[in-house]
Amino acid sequence: MAQTQGRQIGKDQFRDRLATVSETGGRNWIYAKKPGGRFYNARTILSLFLLAFFFSGPFITINGNPLLLVNILERKFVIFGVAFWPQDLHLLVFGMLSFIVFIVLFTTIFGRLFCGWACPQTIFLEMVFRKIEYWIEGDASAQKRLKKAPWNTEKILKKGSKHAIFYVLSFTISNLFLAYIIGKDQLFEIITDPPSEHAAGLTAMIIFSGVFYGVFAFMREQVCHFVCPYGRMQSVMLDNNSINVMYDYKRGENRASVGNRNKVDTGKATLADLGFSEDATFGDCIDCYQCVKVCPMGIDIRNGTQLECVHCTACIDACDSVMEKIDKPRGLIRYASENSIREETRKIFTPRVMGYSGILMILLTTFVVLMSMRSDLETTVLRQRGTLYQELPNNMYSNIYEIKVINKTFDTRDYEIKLLAPEGGELVSLGNVKSVEPQNLAEGRFLIKLNANQLNGLQTELTFGVYSNGEHIETVTSGFLGPAN
Ligand code: SF4
Ligand code: SF4
């Protein structure tokens, strides 16, 4: 039976229940020991870059556009400064499909590298919130003592200050998160205008703050276990050639503590007394549980690859420092594939990887081709909603049209629309579009007048030519409503 951080999970029980769930179904709180080592240092440096990027993202503009904007409510999407409109849905679909296949391919080769090194949940939890917790409450054992202590001044001060800082941080993160959705200008308006003018925005802010606070202060690893869809899909994406954080069981087993080894060495116990066969030899694992104590997911990586593992590398660092102390080579726990340990073979380009790569290439090629075919200006002409035809003198009829023009380029574009068919029809501007600002939408209205002899019953098709700087760039059609014959 393995004694871990406040809970006991037997060697054969780990697949039956979660380390974070008690026998009565309650929560086993994970008190992870403070990690440290070369991987943790590298992750800290990377997380500083990623946090700087996350916090500055809403304020970075490219050609006047934000770096990233996902405004679902107003259907505005900007990715790396390039605006995508609802009319570009097909591009977004191919872009998203390429991204998903890329994630599947990446995970098949490198396992959950993203979770440990770049996932916002891991970065905020392990590199921000958990560091603050260590700073205020101390390492795992001090945290456990504080938990058991009565509510004295020290406990109230430590818990109170921790949660106050956690909430302020969650509020800041929620504001930035909102800035990625509605843009920084709208966010500033919500912050600076009277609350009554932005009830919806403020409500969203409060809800997001509460969600982030709940996630980082209480839910923590439960988000990875139960909420994250990427975590849920690991079992279908990984195979024996995927690179994971792995315990080298060939080198580590048979595991035995230093005390038990000494007993055997000094003749105080036999191998059989420890449950081994008489010809057994000890492996490099000294059963010190350091790898378990640092694990923020509460698992024992020596049981093999587990769905809970987010590849945070804390156990690699912990075990490496143990190996150094006992004069053994580092890497008893390391990045490796099951096959590289079991069969000592390394294979990256498996048929599966090649299949995913092929699909990704097809999707990316389609995406690039569609992007290159994307027109600079996109026009929509629709008969004004709720209107019928108007009867004019001299056997003439008219319809009113609304025009929407999207300029997808980074330059202001001149704009002109002409009626090409039926020939002889007249286009009368009611405030038509003359030019369109870069990456923007312009709207206008115009009237089309046709003679009765140009009509083709109830519906007559109109063809328009769109011109910019004298160049014909687009042909659009619409319908003209006339009297029934
Ligand atoms: S098993 Fe190791 S890599 Fe996986 S979550 Fe635990 S400490 Fe991190
Ligand atoms: S830290 Fe290394 S030596 Fe210690 S229990 Fe884990 S795998 Fe074994």
Side-chain angles (χ1 to χ4, degrees), residues 437-472:
E437 295 288 309
Q439 303 278 305
N440 226 317
L441 171 83
E443 295 181 72
R445 283 195 320 153
F446 58 78
L447 203 70
I448 294 291
K449 289 184 186 174
L450 294 181
N451 194 286
N453 60 24
Q454 294 173 303
L455 299 182
N456 192 11
L458 206 59
Q459 273 287 348
T460 304
E461 186 174 281
L462 304 177
T463 307
F464 298 94
V466 171
Y467 302 82
S468 181
N469 298 329
E471 190 189 337
H472 178 242

PDB file of all heavy atoms in Angstrom, residues 437-472:
ATOM      1  N   GLU A 437     -12.909  51.813 -45.129  1.00  0.00           N
ATOM      2  CA  GLU A 437     -11.718  51.875 -44.276  1.00  0.00           C
ATOM      3  C   GLU A 437     -11.060  50.491 -44.207  1.00  0.00           C
ATOM      4  O   GLU A 437     -11.741  49.468 -44.360  1.00  0.00           O
ATOM      5  CB  GLU A 437     -12.110  52.281 -42.851  1.00  0.00           C
ATOM      6  CG  GLU A 437     -12.676  53.679 -42.718  1.00  0.00           C
ATOM      7  CD  GLU A 437     -11.619  54.737 -42.898  1.00  0.00           C
ATOM      8  OE1 GLU A 437     -10.586  54.633 -42.222  1.00  0.00           O
ATOM      9  OE2 GLU A 437     -11.809  55.638 -43.734  1.00  0.00           O
ATOM     10  N   PRO A 438      -9.737  50.442 -43.932  1.00  0.00           N
ATOM     11  CA  PRO A 438      -9.074  49.141 -43.861  1.00  0.00           C
ATOM     12  C   PRO A 438      -9.678  48.232 -42.786  1.00  0.00           C
ATOM     13  O   PRO A 438     -10.039  48.705 -41.707  1.00  0.00           O
ATOM     14  CB  PRO A 438      -7.620  49.482 -43.506  1.00  0.00           C
ATOM     15  CG  PRO A 438      -7.557  50.939 -43.306  1.00  0.00           C
ATOM     16  CD  PRO A 438      -8.843  51.556 -43.702  1.00  0.00           C
ATOM     17  N   GLN A 439      -9.789  46.948 -43.094  1.00  0.00           N
ATOM     18  CA  GLN A 439     -10.293  45.936 -42.156  1.00  0.00           C
ATOM     19  C   GLN A 439     -11.611  46.370 -41.521  1.00  0.00           C
ATOM     20  O   GLN A 439     -11.817  46.226 -40.320  1.00  0.00           O
ATOM     21  CB  GLN A 439      -9.265  45.682 -41.046  1.00  0.00           C
ATOM     22  CG  GLN A 439      -7.903  45.241 -41.530  1.00  0.00           C
ATOM     23  CD  GLN A 439      -7.857  43.754 -41.826  1.00  0.00           C
ATOM     24  OE1 GLN A 439      -8.186  42.953 -40.976  1.00  0.00           O
ATOM     25  NE2 GLN A 439      -7.465  43.390 -43.020  1.00  0.00           N
ATOM     26  N   ASN A 440     -12.467  46.964 -42.355  1.00  0.00           N
ATOM     27  CA  ASN A 440     -13.687  47.529 -41.789  1.00  0.00           C
ATOM     28  C   ASN A 440     -14.888  47.239 -42.677  1.00  0.00           C
ATOM     29  O   ASN A 440     -14.759  46.735 -43.783  1.00  0.00           O
ATOM     30  CB  ASN A 440     -13.514  49.040 -41.610  1.00  0.00           C
ATOM     31  CG  ASN A 440     -14.015  49.457 -40.249  1.00  0.00           C
ATOM     32  OD1 ASN A 440     -15.064  48.999 -39.813  1.00  0.00           O
ATOM     33  ND2 ASN A 440     -13.259  50.329 -39.577  1.00  0.00           N
ATOM     34  N   LEU A 441     -16.043  47.616 -42.154  1.00  0.00           N
ATOM     35  CA  LEU A 441     -17.300  47.355 -42.856  1.00  0.00           C
ATOM     36  C   LEU A 441     -17.967  48.694 -43.147  1.00  0.00           C
ATOM     37  O   LEU A 441     -18.033  49.556 -42.269  1.00  0.00           O
ATOM     38  CB  LEU A 441     -18.200  46.499 -41.961  1.00  0.00           C
ATOM     39  CG  LEU A 441     -19.637  46.303 -42.415  1.00  0.00           C
ATOM     40  CD1 LEU A 441     -19.723  45.181 -43.435  1.00  0.00           C
ATOM     41  CD2 LEU A 441     -20.535  45.961 -41.231  1.00  0.00           C
ATOM     42  N   ALA A 442     -18.425  48.883 -44.400  1.00  0.00           N
ATOM     43  CA  ALA A 442     -19.167  50.104 -44.738  1.00  0.00           C
ATOM     44  C   ALA A 442     -20.557  49.693 -45.201  1.00  0.00           C
ATOM     45  O   ALA A 442     -20.733  48.654 -45.832  1.00  0.00           O
ATOM     46  CB  ALA A 442     -18.444  50.865 -45.839  1.00  0.00           C
ATOM     47  N   GLU A 443     -21.548  50.522 -44.857  1.00  0.00           N
ATOM     48  CA  GLU A 443     -22.926  50.196 -45.227  1.00  0.00           C
ATOM     49  C   GLU A 443     -23.556  51.373 -45.954  1.00  0.00           C
ATOM     50  O   GLU A 443     -23.226  52.526 -45.684  1.00  0.00           O
ATOM     51  CB  GLU A 443     -23.749  49.876 -43.969  1.00  0.00           C
ATOM     52  CG  GLU A 443     -23.273  48.625 -43.263  1.00  0.00           C
ATOM     53  CD  GLU A 443     -24.096  48.294 -42.048  1.00  0.00           C
ATOM     54  OE1 GLU A 443     -25.238  47.856 -42.236  1.00  0.00           O
ATOM     55  OE2 GLU A 443     -23.600  48.470 -40.925  1.00  0.00           O
ATOM     56  N   GLY A 444     -24.451  51.089 -46.880  1.00  0.00           N
ATOM     57  CA  GLY A 444     -25.127  52.156 -47.602  1.00  0.00           C
ATOM     58  C   GLY A 444     -26.459  51.660 -48.151  1.00  0.00           C
ATOM     59  O   GLY A 444     -26.854  50.517 -47.909  1.00  0.00           O
ATOM     60  N   ARG A 445     -27.125  52.578 -48.878  1.00  0.00           N
ATOM     61  CA  ARG A 445     -28.410  52.201 -49.476  1.00  0.00           C
ATOM     62  C   ARG A 445     -28.500  52.798 -50.871  1.00  0.00           C
ATOM     63  O   ARG A 445     -27.944  53.870 -51.140  1.00  0.00           O
ATOM     64  CB  ARG A 445     -29.563  52.746 -48.622  1.00  0.00           C
ATOM     65  CG  ARG A 445     -29.806  51.940 -47.364  1.00  0.00           C
ATOM     66  CD  ARG A 445     -31.129  52.257 -46.723  1.00  0.00           C
ATOM     67  NE  ARG A 445     -31.474  53.660 -46.748  1.00  0.00           N
ATOM     68  CZ  ARG A 445     -32.723  54.104 -46.741  1.00  0.00           C
ATOM     69  NH1 ARG A 445     -33.734  53.254 -46.739  1.00  0.00           N
ATOM     70  NH2 ARG A 445     -32.976  55.402 -46.748  1.00  0.00           N
ATOM     71  N   PHE A 446     -29.184  52.122 -51.755  1.00  0.00           N
ATOM     72  CA  PHE A 446     -29.445  52.706 -53.071  1.00  0.00           C
ATOM     73  C   PHE A 446     -30.765  52.171 -53.602  1.00  0.00           C
ATOM     74  O   PHE A 446     -31.360  51.216 -53.056  1.00  0.00           O
ATOM     75  CB  PHE A 446     -28.287  52.440 -54.057  1.00  0.00           C
ATOM     76  CG  PHE A 446     -27.978  50.988 -54.282  1.00  0.00           C
ATOM     77  CD1 PHE A 446     -28.767  50.203 -55.126  1.00  0.00           C
ATOM     78  CD2 PHE A 446     -26.869  50.405 -53.681  1.00  0.00           C
ATOM     79  CE1 PHE A 446     -28.471  48.869 -55.343  1.00  0.00           C
ATOM     80  CE2 PHE A 446     -26.571  49.070 -53.900  1.00  0.00           C
ATOM     81  CZ  PHE A 446     -27.378  48.300 -54.728  1.00  0.00           C
ATOM     82  N   LEU A 447     -31.188  52.806 -54.678  1.00  0.00           N
ATOM     83  CA  LEU A 447     -32.479  52.487 -55.293  1.00  0.00           C
ATOM     84  C   LEU A 447     -32.198  51.935 -56.694  1.00  0.00           C
ATOM     85  O   LEU A 447     -31.305  52.433 -57.374  1.00  0.00           O
ATOM     86  CB  LEU A 447     -33.235  53.803 -55.416  1.00  0.00           C
ATOM     87  CG  LEU A 447     -34.732  53.828 -55.505  1.00  0.00           C
ATOM     88  CD1 LEU A 447     -35.325  53.433 -54.161  1.00  0.00           C
ATOM     89  CD2 LEU A 447     -35.175  55.266 -55.848  1.00  0.00           C
ATOM     90  N   ILE A 448     -32.926  50.943 -57.109  1.00  0.00           N
ATOM     91  CA  ILE A 448     -32.823  50.468 -58.498  1.00  0.00           C
ATOM     92  C   ILE A 448     -34.164  50.720 -59.182  1.00  0.00           C
ATOM     93  O   ILE A 448     -35.222  50.371 -58.643  1.00  0.00           O
ATOM     94  CB  ILE A 448     -32.480  48.966 -58.554  1.00  0.00           C
ATOM     95  CG1 ILE A 448     -31.081  48.704 -58.005  1.00  0.00           C
ATOM     96  CG2 ILE A 448     -32.618  48.413 -59.977  1.00  0.00           C
ATOM     97  CD1 ILE A 448     -29.952  49.233 -58.865  1.00  0.00           C
ATOM     98  N   LYS A 449     -34.084  51.379 -60.335  1.00  0.00           N
ATOM     99  CA  LYS A 449     -35.308  51.661 -61.097  1.00  0.00           C
ATOM    100  C   LYS A 449     -35.269  50.841 -62.386  1.00  0.00           C
ATOM    101  O   LYS A 449     -34.258  50.877 -63.103  1.00  0.00           O
ATOM    102  CB  LYS A 449     -35.374  53.141 -61.466  1.00  0.00           C
ATOM    103  CG  LYS A 449     -35.647  54.062 -60.304  1.00  0.00           C
ATOM    104  CD  LYS A 449     -35.782  55.477 -60.854  1.00  0.00           C
ATOM    105  CE  LYS A 449     -35.907  56.501 -59.756  1.00  0.00           C
ATOM    106  NZ  LYS A 449     -35.888  57.876 -60.313  1.00  0.00           N
ATOM    107  N   LEU A 450     -36.358  50.125 -62.642  1.00  0.00           N
ATOM    108  CA  LEU A 450     -36.457  49.347 -63.873  1.00  0.00           C
ATOM    109  C   LEU A 450     -37.787  49.648 -64.554  1.00  0.00           C
ATOM    110  O   LEU A 450     -38.785  49.934 -63.875  1.00  0.00           O
ATOM    111  CB  LEU A 450     -36.388  47.843 -63.579  1.00  0.00           C
ATOM    112  CG  LEU A 450     -35.081  47.267 -63.023  1.00  0.00           C
ATOM    113  CD1 LEU A 450     -35.233  45.758 -62.832  1.00  0.00           C
ATOM    114  CD2 LEU A 450     -33.898  47.558 -63.919  1.00  0.00           C
ATOM    115  N   ASN A 451     -37.751  49.580 -65.872  1.00  0.00           N
ATOM    116  CA  ASN A 451     -38.995  49.731 -66.623  1.00  0.00           C
ATOM    117  C   ASN A 451     -39.760  48.403 -66.579  1.00  0.00           C
ATOM    118  O   ASN A 451     -39.153  47.344 -66.445  1.00  0.00           O
ATOM    119  CB  ASN A 451     -38.668  50.095 -68.086  1.00  0.00           C
ATOM    120  CG  ASN A 451     -39.900  50.594 -68.798  1.00  0.00           C
ATOM    121  OD1 ASN A 451     -40.780  49.807 -69.129  1.00  0.00           O
ATOM    122  ND2 ASN A 451     -39.974  51.911 -68.985  1.00  0.00           N
ATOM    123  N   ALA A 452     -41.096  48.502 -66.736  1.00  0.00           N
ATOM    124  CA  ALA A 452     -41.915  47.282 -66.659  1.00  0.00           C
ATOM    125  C   ALA A 452     -41.460  46.243 -67.672  1.00  0.00           C
ATOM    126  O   ALA A 452     -41.484  45.033 -67.403  1.00  0.00           O
ATOM    127  CB  ALA A 452     -43.376  47.635 -66.885  1.00  0.00           C
ATOM    128  N   ASN A 453     -40.974  46.709 -68.857  1.00  0.00           N
ATOM    129  CA  ASN A 453     -40.565  45.726 -69.868  1.00  0.00           C
ATOM    130  C   ASN A 453     -39.229  45.049 -69.539  1.00  0.00           C
ATOM    131  O   ASN A 453     -38.795  44.140 -70.241  1.00  0.00           O
ATOM    132  CB  ASN A 453     -40.513  46.357 -71.272  1.00  0.00           C
ATOM    133  CG  ASN A 453     -39.529  47.510 -71.329  1.00  0.00           C
ATOM    134  OD1 ASN A 453     -38.599  47.568 -70.534  1.00  0.00           O
ATOM    135  ND2 ASN A 453     -39.754  48.436 -72.250  1.00  0.00           N
ATOM    136  N   GLN A 454     -38.547  45.525 -68.494  1.00  0.00           N
ATOM    137  CA  GLN A 454     -37.300  44.864 -68.082  1.00  0.00           C
ATOM    138  C   GLN A 454     -37.548  43.802 -67.012  1.00  0.00           C
ATOM    139  O   GLN A 454     -36.636  43.086 -66.630  1.00  0.00           O
ATOM    140  CB  GLN A 454     -36.313  45.899 -67.516  1.00  0.00           C
ATOM    141  CG  GLN A 454     -35.822  46.901 -68.549  1.00  0.00           C
ATOM    142  CD  GLN A 454     -34.998  47.995 -67.898  1.00  0.00           C
ATOM    143  OE1 GLN A 454     -35.488  48.680 -66.988  1.00  0.00           O
ATOM    144  NE2 GLN A 454     -33.776  48.153 -68.352  1.00  0.00           N
ATOM    145  N   LEU A 455     -38.781  43.760 -66.546  1.00  0.00           N
ATOM    146  CA  LEU A 455     -39.082  42.842 -65.446  1.00  0.00           C
ATOM    147  C   LEU A 455     -39.363  41.444 -65.970  1.00  0.00           C
ATOM    148  O   LEU A 455     -39.881  41.271 -67.070  1.00  0.00           O
ATOM    149  CB  LEU A 455     -40.274  43.335 -64.631  1.00  0.00           C
ATOM    150  CG  LEU A 455     -40.097  44.694 -63.964  1.00  0.00           C
ATOM    151  CD1 LEU A 455     -41.334  45.042 -63.132  1.00  0.00           C
ATOM    152  CD2 LEU A 455     -38.865  44.717 -63.073  1.00  0.00           C
ATOM    153  N   ASN A 456     -39.034  40.502 -65.126  1.00  0.00           N
ATOM    154  CA  ASN A 456     -39.217  39.102 -65.490  1.00  0.00           C
ATOM    155  C   ASN A 456     -40.162  38.473 -64.460  1.00  0.00           C
ATOM    156  O   ASN A 456     -39.769  37.619 -63.679  1.00  0.00           O
ATOM    157  CB  ASN A 456     -37.835  38.433 -65.490  1.00  0.00           C
ATOM    158  CG  ASN A 456     -37.880  37.075 -66.122  1.00  0.00           C
ATOM    159  OD1 ASN A 456     -38.885  36.717 -66.739  1.00  0.00           O
ATOM    160  ND2 ASN A 456     -36.821  36.318 -65.951  1.00  0.00           N
ATOM    161  N   GLY A 457     -41.358  38.991 -64.388  1.00  0.00           N
ATOM    162  CA  GLY A 457     -42.336  38.490 -63.414  1.00  0.00           C
ATOM    163  C   GLY A 457     -42.062  39.034 -62.028  1.00  0.00           C
ATOM    164  O   GLY A 457     -41.522  40.134 -61.858  1.00  0.00           O
ATOM    165  N   LEU A 458     -42.402  38.204 -61.048  1.00  0.00           N
ATOM    166  CA  LEU A 458     -42.281  38.606 -59.645  1.00  0.00           C
ATOM    167  C   LEU A 458     -40.830  38.869 -59.242  1.00  0.00           C
ATOM    168  O   LEU A 458     -40.528  39.780 -58.487  1.00  0.00           O
ATOM    169  CB  LEU A 458     -42.874  37.484 -58.776  1.00  0.00           C
ATOM    170  CG  LEU A 458     -43.422  37.849 -57.427  1.00  0.00           C
ATOM    171  CD1 LEU A 458     -44.547  38.868 -57.541  1.00  0.00           C
ATOM    172  CD2 LEU A 458     -43.947  36.593 -56.720  1.00  0.00           C
ATOM    173  N   GLN A 459     -39.909  38.053 -59.764  1.00  0.00           N
ATOM    174  CA  GLN A 459     -38.492  38.178 -59.385  1.00  0.00           C
ATOM    175  C   GLN A 459     -37.629  38.372 -60.626  1.00  0.00           C
ATOM    176  O   GLN A 459     -37.674  37.577 -61.541  1.00  0.00           O
ATOM    177  CB  GLN A 459     -38.016  36.906 -58.675  1.00  0.00           C
ATOM    178  CG  GLN A 459     -38.249  36.872 -57.179  1.00  0.00           C
ATOM    179  CD  GLN A 459     -37.308  37.792 -56.402  1.00  0.00           C
ATOM    180  OE1 GLN A 459     -36.338  38.297 -56.947  1.00  0.00           O
ATOM    181  NE2 GLN A 459     -37.642  38.028 -55.152  1.00  0.00           N
ATOM    182  N   THR A 460     -36.868  39.437 -60.650  1.00  0.00           N
ATOM    183  CA  THR A 460     -35.933  39.676 -61.754  1.00  0.00           C
ATOM    184  C   THR A 460     -34.533  39.686 -61.182  1.00  0.00           C
ATOM    185  O   THR A 460     -34.286  40.350 -60.156  1.00  0.00           O
ATOM    186  CB  THR A 460     -36.219  41.037 -62.425  1.00  0.00           C
ATOM    187  OG1 THR A 460     -37.586  41.050 -62.836  1.00  0.00           O
ATOM    188  CG2 THR A 460     -35.310  41.285 -63.611  1.00  0.00           C
ATOM    189  N   GLU A 461     -33.634  38.943 -61.818  1.00  0.00           N
ATOM    190  CA  GLU A 461     -32.271  38.909 -61.253  1.00  0.00           C
ATOM    191  C   GLU A 461     -31.495  40.144 -61.664  1.00  0.00           C
ATOM    192  O   GLU A 461     -31.522  40.551 -62.829  1.00  0.00           O
ATOM    193  CB  GLU A 461     -31.532  37.645 -61.711  1.00  0.00           C
ATOM    194  CG  GLU A 461     -30.181  37.552 -61.005  1.00  0.00           C
ATOM    195  CD  GLU A 461     -29.438  36.264 -61.281  1.00  0.00           C
ATOM    196  OE1 GLU A 461     -29.787  35.253 -60.666  1.00  0.00           O
ATOM    197  OE2 GLU A 461     -28.497  36.296 -62.097  1.00  0.00           O
ATOM    198  N   LEU A 462     -30.822  40.741 -60.688  1.00  0.00           N
ATOM    199  CA  LEU A 462     -29.964  41.904 -60.941  1.00  0.00           C
ATOM    200  C   LEU A 462     -28.507  41.469 -60.846  1.00  0.00           C
ATOM    201  O   LEU A 462     -28.157  40.679 -59.976  1.00  0.00           O
ATOM    202  CB  LEU A 462     -30.198  42.996 -59.898  1.00  0.00           C
ATOM    203  CG  LEU A 462     -31.627  43.520 -59.729  1.00  0.00           C
ATOM    204  CD1 LEU A 462     -31.661  44.550 -58.606  1.00  0.00           C
ATOM    205  CD2 LEU A 462     -32.129  44.150 -61.026  1.00  0.00           C
ATOM    206  N   THR A 463     -27.678  41.992 -61.743  1.00  0.00           N
ATOM    207  CA  THR A 463     -26.241  41.704 -61.662  1.00  0.00           C
ATOM    208  C   THR A 463     -25.496  43.017 -61.497  1.00  0.00           C
ATOM    209  O   THR A 463     -25.723  43.973 -62.254  1.00  0.00           O
ATOM    210  CB  THR A 463     -25.756  40.999 -62.947  1.00  0.00           C
ATOM    211  OG1 THR A 463     -26.596  39.856 -63.165  1.00  0.00           O
ATOM    212  CG2 THR A 463     -24.318  40.550 -62.833  1.00  0.00           C
ATOM    213  N   PHE A 464     -24.632  43.058 -60.487  1.00  0.00           N
ATOM    214  CA  PHE A 464     -23.867  44.269 -60.199  1.00  0.00           C
ATOM    215  C   PHE A 464     -22.384  44.009 -60.432  1.00  0.00           C
ATOM    216  O   PHE A 464     -21.875  42.912 -60.160  1.00  0.00           O
ATOM    217  CB  PHE A 464     -24.035  44.689 -58.735  1.00  0.00           C
ATOM    218  CG  PHE A 464     -25.453  45.037 -58.353  1.00  0.00           C
ATOM    219  CD1 PHE A 464     -26.296  44.082 -57.789  1.00  0.00           C
ATOM    220  CD2 PHE A 464     -25.937  46.329 -58.547  1.00  0.00           C
ATOM    221  CE1 PHE A 464     -27.592  44.400 -57.434  1.00  0.00           C
ATOM    222  CE2 PHE A 464     -27.241  46.655 -58.186  1.00  0.00           C
ATOM    223  CZ  PHE A 464     -28.066  45.688 -57.635  1.00  0.00           C
ATOM    224  N   GLY A 465     -21.708  45.021 -60.913  1.00  0.00           N
ATOM    225  CA  GLY A 465     -20.242  44.963 -61.011  1.00  0.00           C
ATOM    226  C   GLY A 465     -19.660  45.845 -59.916  1.00  0.00           C
ATOM    227  O   GLY A 465     -20.131  46.960 -59.694  1.00  0.00           O
ATOM    228  N   VAL A 466     -18.651  45.323 -59.211  1.00  0.00           N
ATOM    229  CA  VAL A 466     -18.009  46.089 -58.133  1.00  0.00           C
ATOM    230  C   VAL A 466     -16.637  46.530 -58.628  1.00  0.00           C
ATOM    231  O   VAL A 466     -15.879  45.727 -59.170  1.00  0.00           O
ATOM    232  CB  VAL A 466     -17.889  45.220 -56.859  1.00  0.00           C
ATOM    233  CG1 VAL A 466     -17.044  45.925 -55.811  1.00  0.00           C
ATOM    234  CG2 VAL A 466     -19.264  44.892 -56.314  1.00  0.00           C
ATOM    235  N   TYR A 467     -16.320  47.814 -58.446  1.00  0.00           N
ATOM    236  CA  TYR A 467     -15.068  48.375 -58.964  1.00  0.00           C
ATOM    237  C   TYR A 467     -14.322  49.091 -57.830  1.00  0.00           C
ATOM    238  O   TYR A 467     -14.939  49.715 -56.963  1.00  0.00           O
ATOM    239  CB  TYR A 467     -15.342  49.371 -60.103  1.00  0.00           C
ATOM    240  CG  TYR A 467     -16.093  48.731 -61.249  1.00  0.00           C
ATOM    241  CD1 TYR A 467     -17.488  48.592 -61.194  1.00  0.00           C
ATOM    242  CD2 TYR A 467     -15.412  48.241 -62.365  1.00  0.00           C
ATOM    243  CE1 TYR A 467     -18.184  47.978 -62.222  1.00  0.00           C
ATOM    244  CE2 TYR A 467     -16.108  47.621 -63.410  1.00  0.00           C
ATOM    245  CZ  TYR A 467     -17.484  47.494 -63.328  1.00  0.00           C
ATOM    246  OH  TYR A 467     -18.167  46.876 -64.343  1.00  0.00           O
ATOM    247  N   SER A 468     -13.027  48.965 -57.872  1.00  0.00           N
ATOM    248  CA  SER A 468     -12.195  49.718 -56.930  1.00  0.00           C
ATOM    249  C   SER A 468     -11.008  50.245 -57.706  1.00  0.00           C
ATOM    250  O   SER A 468     -10.346  49.486 -58.425  1.00  0.00           O
ATOM    251  CB  SER A 468     -11.718  48.801 -55.807  1.00  0.00           C
ATOM    252  OG  SER A 468     -10.943  49.535 -54.889  1.00  0.00           O
ATOM    253  N   ASN A 469     -10.773  51.545 -57.617  1.00  0.00           N
ATOM    254  CA  ASN A 469      -9.719  52.229 -58.393  1.00  0.00           C
ATOM    255  C   ASN A 469      -9.877  51.913 -59.892  1.00  0.00           C
ATOM    256  O   ASN A 469      -8.907  51.645 -60.590  1.00  0.00           O
ATOM    257  CB  ASN A 469      -8.320  51.819 -57.920  1.00  0.00           C
ATOM    258  CG  ASN A 469      -8.092  52.208 -56.472  1.00  0.00           C
ATOM    259  OD1 ASN A 469      -8.649  53.209 -56.001  1.00  0.00           O
ATOM    260  ND2 ASN A 469      -7.320  51.421 -55.758  1.00  0.00           N
ATOM    261  N   GLY A 470     -11.120  51.847 -60.334  1.00  0.00           N
ATOM    262  CA  GLY A 470     -11.402  51.613 -61.754  1.00  0.00           C
ATOM    263  C   GLY A 470     -11.296  50.159 -62.171  1.00  0.00           C
ATOM    264  O   GLY A 470     -11.559  49.810 -63.322  1.00  0.00           O
ATOM    265  N   GLU A 471     -10.923  49.281 -61.274  1.00  0.00           N
ATOM    266  CA  GLU A 471     -10.715  47.874 -61.628  1.00  0.00           C
ATOM    267  C   GLU A 471     -11.926  47.043 -61.195  1.00  0.00           C
ATOM    268  O   GLU A 471     -12.423  47.191 -60.074  1.00  0.00           O
ATOM    269  CB  GLU A 471      -9.462  47.385 -60.889  1.00  0.00           C
ATOM    270  CG  GLU A 471      -8.967  46.037 -61.322  1.00  0.00           C
ATOM    271  CD  GLU A 471      -7.863  45.553 -60.367  1.00  0.00           C
ATOM    272  OE1 GLU A 471      -7.225  46.406 -59.705  1.00  0.00           O
ATOM    273  OE2 GLU A 471      -7.688  44.334 -60.282  1.00  0.00           O
ATOM    274  N   HIS A 472     -12.403  46.184 -62.118  1.00  0.00           N
ATOM    275  CA  HIS A 472     -13.539  45.334 -61.780  1.00  0.00           C
ATOM    276  C   HIS A 472     -13.046  44.207 -60.877  1.00  0.00           C
ATOM    277  O   HIS A 472     -12.173  43.423 -61.248  1.00  0.00           O
ATOM    278  CB  HIS A 472     -14.149  44.751 -63.072  1.00  0.00           C
ATOM    279  CG  HIS A 472     -15.293  43.825 -62.794  1.00  0.00           C
ATOM    280  ND1 HIS A 472     -15.275  42.505 -63.141  1.00  0.00           N
ATOM    281  CD2 HIS A 472     -16.489  44.024 -62.190  1.00  0.00           C
ATOM    282  CE1 HIS A 472     -16.409  41.930 -62.765  1.00  0.00           C
ATOM    283  NE2 HIS A 472     -17.159  42.851 -62.180  1.00  0.00           N
TER     284      HIS A 472
END
